Amino acid sequence: MSDPPTSSKSVTETVNGSHRFVIQGYSLAKGMGIGKHIASENFTVGGYQWAIYFYPDGKNPEDNSTYVSVFIALASEGTDVRALFELTLVDQSGKGKHKVHSHFDRSLESGPYTLKYRGSMWGYKRFFRRAMLETSDYLKDDCLKINCTVGVVVSAIDCSRLHSIQVPESDIGARFGTLLETMEGSDVVFSVAGENFNAHKLVLAARSTVFRSELFGKQEADEKEIIVTDIEPKVFKAMLHFIYRDALNEEELVASTSSCESSSVFDTLTAKLLAAADKYELGRLRRVCESHLCTYISVGSVARTLALADRYQATELKAVCLRFAAENLAAVMKSDGFEYLKENCPALQSELLRTVAGCEDDSNSGGGKSQSVWAQLSDGGDSSGRRMRQRT
């Protein structure tokens, strides 16, 4: 027996920070002496203090004040501090031609620069030739601007996997479902075709504005029993299950829908739940029903499903049905469902015509055949050429 394998990961990166140093009165700083500098305020990056040193007469005596020098100094206690640096002399003409010296975004053969102790510096003794600087766009109104970026190198062990904490899946639906099953604290009873269903007013009101109005209206607030006449008991039970658990019994839906013929789509549990969702303004339940019914759309069922979607404001399902029917119009027109649609939902024919027109606009081929089918539909004929009597 052996211990399971372990792993760890070291991550090395930079902690970056920037500082702008404005040197006003450059001409007055000249002549202060070689090796003497003007210092910026200290600024903090990566837990260390830093400062910018500007040498108007240069740092190196051998250059005889020919160049200005610029350095970045470690201004706090530290040992072997590794860092990347960038110094930018700002072009004040607006042309964006800044003078940049940078360690960032390029390969360093020897790695980052190491500052051994407080006062250690990195920079350039010959940062810029002074005579050229004084006639350049970098100097404006006797002012220089220097931007400095410091990236302190830090290493750490990535312990996100080693110390991860698993968050359990939400069980709020199961908790509320148990509340429904045990009927603990229930304060209202629904009588549905002789069957009683206990529930909790606050839960129903939180899920449905219709229930809220019904249960907490002025007249109904004290009622303990409510009679429901337009929903079957099994449908009401399934609706309560969804209200409490935010989910439906998928097996019941599949069994109800897959066993039905196209002529009885209105009789499926899903269709009846769609009607209940419309009545009680349960938007999510409506969308769940739409999604389930969408998977069973066929040439034989699409017409009645379209009528169902239109009746209960199932806009997503209706759009899918219209598109499917338009793309398969010749076959759909031969179905019994299409006869039902013409007899019971004549207004939907106009919508179907507009969808057919949209499909034809999307396609550059096959227009002749689609046009003949469209003409049959708009003229009131069926797919075999028989004229259909217009409804008046």
Side-chain angles (χ1 to χ4, degrees), residues 354-365:
R354 290 194 294 271
T355 307
V356 171
C359 290
E360 290 179 347
D361 290 341
D362 292 340
S363 174
N364 294 323
S365 61

Side-chain angles (χ1 to χ4, degrees), residues 90-98 137-138 140:
V90 178
D91 176 6
Q92 299 187 67
S93 69
K95 299 176 183 177
K97 296 181 179 181
H98 312 301
D137 290 330
Y138 302 113
K140 181 180 180 181

Side-chain angles (χ1 to χ4, degrees), residues 122-192:
W122 171 89
Y124 293 89
K125 292 179 181 179
R126 297 179 175 181
F127 185 73
F128 210 101
R129 189 178 289 271
R130 193 163 73 168
M132 293 177 62
L133 175 65
E134 292 171 359
T135 58
S136 71
D137 290 330
Y138 302 113
L139 182 64
K140 181 180 180 181
D141 299 329
D142 207 26
C143 173
L144 293 173
K145 295 179 180 180
I146 298 174
N147 290 339
C148 166
T149 299
V150 178
V152 178
V153 178
V154 295
S155 296
I157 298 297
D158 181 4
C159 60
S160 59
R161 290 177 59 191
L162 300 176
H163 301 283
S164 62
I165 298 175
Q166 297 296 322
V167 178
E169 294 292 329
S170 172
D171 63 349
I172 188 170
R175 297 281 184 175
F176 273 89
T178 301
L179 195 65
L180 177 64
E181 292 169 2
T182 62
M183 298 182 292
E184 181 179 354
S186 62
D187 53 0
V188 64
V189 177
F190 291 90
S191 178
V192 186

Side-chain angles (χ1 to χ4, degrees), residues 247-322:
L248 291 172
N249 187 321
E250 192 67 22
E251 293 181 0
E252 289 185 5
L253 293 184
V254 171
S256 169
T257 309
S258 61
S259 63
C260 77
E261 299 295 332
S262 61
S263 61
S264 59
V265 65
F266 285 95
D267 297 327
T268 64
L269 176 60
T270 310
K272 294 175 180 178
L273 278 170
L274 180 63
D278 182 60
K279 174 182 177 180
Y280 290 104
E281 296 182 3
L282 296 165
R284 177 168 155 76
L285 176 58
R286 187 204 309 269
R287 190 57 55 85
V288 170
C289 293
E290 287 183 85
S291 176
H292 186 80
L293 288 167
C294 180
T295 62
Y296 290 92
I297 290 176
S298 65
V299 169
S301 68
V302 66
R304 282 188 171 84
T305 305
L306 173 60
L308 177 74
D310 183 64
R311 180 182 299 179
Y312 297 118
Q313 291 77 52
T315 55
E316 295 289 332
L317 180 61
K318 180 178 178 180
V320 171
C321 289
L322 283 170

Side-chain angles (χ1 to χ4, degrees), residues 31-37 55 57-65:
M32 65 188 305
I34 296 173
K36 294 184 179 180
H37 63 265
Y55 297 79
D57 294 323
K59 190 175 186 295
N60 188 3
E62 297 176 357
D63 291 330
N64 196 27
S65 300

